[in-house]
Amino acid sequence: GPGGAEAVLLDVAAALDRGRYELLLLATQSQDDGWLKRWENTVDHVYDLQKLVGFSNAGAAVYSIALNWGVETLLVQNSLTGYSILPHLKTRLPSLRTIDLIHSADQDWDVVAATRDVAPSLDVRVAISETVRTRLRRLETPDSKIRLIRNGVDLRRFSPCCAGATDGVHRILFAGRLDPVKRPLLLPEIARELRQRRKREDFRFIVAGDGPERAALAMRVRKYGLRATFDLRGHVDDIAPLLGQCELVVLPSKAEGIPLIILEAFAACRAVVASAVGGVPELVTAETGAAIPRGPREVSEFADALNELLDQPLLREARAQNGRTLVERLYDRQRFADEYRALFEIGRAHV
């Protein structure tokens, strides 16, 4: 199914030459097959283990598939089931090269701490951010095992043009799964505060995403009398055109790695106001938008930051341009693909 971490894994697979690699996707906890066709077009074999064997047998299935296929390299992302069988696979396949890809290392989902017991069975630990690399080092992971590979964004998909309200309505984009970790229910709270500051409803929150909190979000929007202020789009396949229509991006998550929507916003030359969690402060600073600390005043601080950027187009455009410069320098997808190809080539030499 769709998601930021899933998009990164899909990009990793797409970077590899199908003529030189046979690629298997082992989905251990999938709840959504919305991207099944994408995966089938990118890899050679797809195993949806919950459908095939059920969650309780997924670990045994990964073990069996790896042995039967004679897998040379195994990459694990956000799957405790996958991590759990690594020591057993290493025993049976001593030449197996094991890699994990770590997005998050905060208090809500600290992958590094959660996988500490199986760390000796991992040959390489890929950190997508300095935040994750620092966490790995603090838990005594040798530098020789750590690779910092930043996520990439396709800069060609996004036009870095300046945005302005041509019809008098400022559009603010939230794009992400409507899940408690993204805290979409905070959006009406922020909108209500922003309305008080502006004394008018000259803005609109565009919500691109679906998930378990959609109904609760719609109910809260109605309760606060904000129906004219919210446009709930549901899942959007291509975010680029929507980014071109909006002036700002907002992300009030309680936990994050390096959110893909922030990289996409910067590629489209849009400033971002986001919660200062996970790896977000590496991207969102006073130079590129506003990072809001979690706490009792965060709703008010989100509203203040959005209000300032809406009222000051030159400031907004300067921060947006700084964001574009940042992704051009550090987060280009071509660099991302080259680094993953190199990582897997090392694996072939190792085997």
Side-chain angles (χ1 to χ4, degrees), residues 8-9 93 114 167 189 191 292 325 329 336:
V8 171
L9 196 63
L93 297 173
D167 58 359
E189 309 288 343
I292 309 301
T325 301
R329 181 167 56 90
F336 164 95

Side-chain angles (χ1 to χ4, degrees), residues 12 35 37 58 71 90 123 150 172 179 248 309:
V12 171
W35 279 4
K37 289 299 180 185
V71 168
K90 275 289 200 180
D123 298 310
R150 294 182 173 89
I172 302 164
D179 183 271
L248 292 169
L309 290 169

Side-chain angles (χ1 to χ4, degrees), residues 27-29 48-61 81:
T28 59
Q29 56 204 42
D48 188 341
L49 297 181
Q50 288 224 60
K51 289 182 180 178
L52 289 172
V53 300
F55 181 77
S56 61
N57 294 316
T81 297

Side-chain angles (χ1 to χ4, degrees), residues 220-298:
R220 187 164 295 186
V221 166
R222 291 194 299 269
K223 177 183 176 182
Y224 290 171
L226 292 169
R227 279 186 286 189
T229 307
F230 274 80
D231 182 356
L232 306 182
R233 298 286 182 94
H235 175 69
V236 174
D237 283 325
D238 186 0
I239 204 66
L242 200 51
L243 273 168
Q245 300 164 16
C246 296
E247 295 172 58
L248 292 169
V249 169
V250 64
L251 191 65
S253 307
K254 68 177 181 179
E256 284 289 355
I258 293 289
L260 183 60
I261 183 56
I262 294 181
L263 299 181
E264 292 173 333
F266 287 170
C269 237
R270 300 296 180 262
V272 175
V273 180
S275 297
V277 296
V280 170
E282 295 179 34
L283 300 170
V284 182
T285 66
E287 300 299 314
T288 59
I292 309 301
R294 289 186 61 187
R297 297 193 66 254
E298 62 185 325

Side-chain angles (χ1 to χ4, degrees), residues 54-121:
F55 181 77
S56 61
N57 294 316
V62 173
Y63 180 81
S64 176
I65 291 167
L67 289 180
N68 290 336
W69 279 95
V71 168
E72 296 176 6
T73 302
L74 179 67
L75 185 150
V76 180
Q77 173 181 272
N78 287 345
S79 172
L80 292 180
T81 297
Y83 280 111
S84 70
I85 52 89
L86 291 179
H88 310 289
L89 276 175
K90 275 289 200 180
T91 300
R92 286 292 302 274
L93 297 173
S95 65
L96 175 69
R97 189 167 187 249
T98 52
I99 305 170
D100 69 336
L101 176 51
I102 309 173
H103 293 266
S104 180
D106 59 34
Q107 61 183 1
D108 290 291
W109 180 216
D110 187 344
V111 176
V112 180
T115 60
R116 193 171 191 173
D117 290 346
V118 299
S121 298

